[in-house]
Amino acid sequence: ISLDLFLSTEGNSYRQDMNQIALHPSWSWGKFHIGDFTHKYTPFTLSGISIRGAGLELSPGIFRFEAFGGQSQKSISDGPFNSMYARYFYSGRIGLQFDNGSGFYFNFLRSKDDVKSLSYDIFTADTNSVKSKNQVTPQENLIIGTNTVINLFNKRLSIGGEFSGSVFTKDMYAKGFNESVIPDYVNNFYNPNISSNVDFAYSGLLKLDLDDFNFKGEYSVINPGYISHGIGIMANDRRTINLISGFRLINNILSIQLNYQTQNDNLLKHK
């Protein structure tokens, strides 16, 4: 059983709590988390946010199962532009992982702001003002994705990738759709409105490692509307190509490495 404990005098009511305490009991094929902790699924789903709740990791044989849930941010009342709603989420991951590191996973994340955690009067104090696009709004998010990695020839060749779809609602108070437009089975799980959008992100990886030559190529696309509440910081609307190759010559006396990277936005390609 491991213990994490972090206490700080910097905490106050106008920022997220910095204090952390967590327990992590583990055994040969599993691990449990309770308290304040972070966890990572993939770069597009869950990574970098602090969770105050509980989590479970199970790895019997080649099977993998992970489930996490709790609060990812507390409510902060500081006017219409600096406030924060309390946010809660739950997530899951199931897949297979083999001895050579190859694996295949399905990932899921669902988050929702608690509209009752802030008084609506904060945003309606001035009834004559027009609602600003920068005003704080309660949000909702759903992520479904898959990722895989295949290692061949004693990990000399690796092929991997990820594909994730996002449903994001910017303002839960926004006007809803006509009920006949959205099927009942969708409304039972997620209530989209005119501020909702659907988008996706994907990436691919090819890695080759030989005695005198190595190569790594990565290609990723994060579309403008892709949002994940499980990511601490994400720059969306970008397409990135990253290539790295190296040569080892004259019995490793001479080494040459070449790097190439390009990044642009997906729509106007002006960056």
Side-chain angles (χ1 to χ4, degrees), residues 140-154:
E140 194 172 1
N141 188 214
L142 170 65
I143 300 289
I144 298 177
T146 180
N147 69 290
T148 186
V149 59
I150 301 173
N151 294 318
L152 302 171
F153 312 116
N154 293 323

Side-chain angles (χ1 to χ4, degrees), residues 80 120-129:
Y120 193 70
D121 295 339
I122 297 175
F123 311 104
T124 58
D126 184 0
T127 56
N128 296 320
S129 63

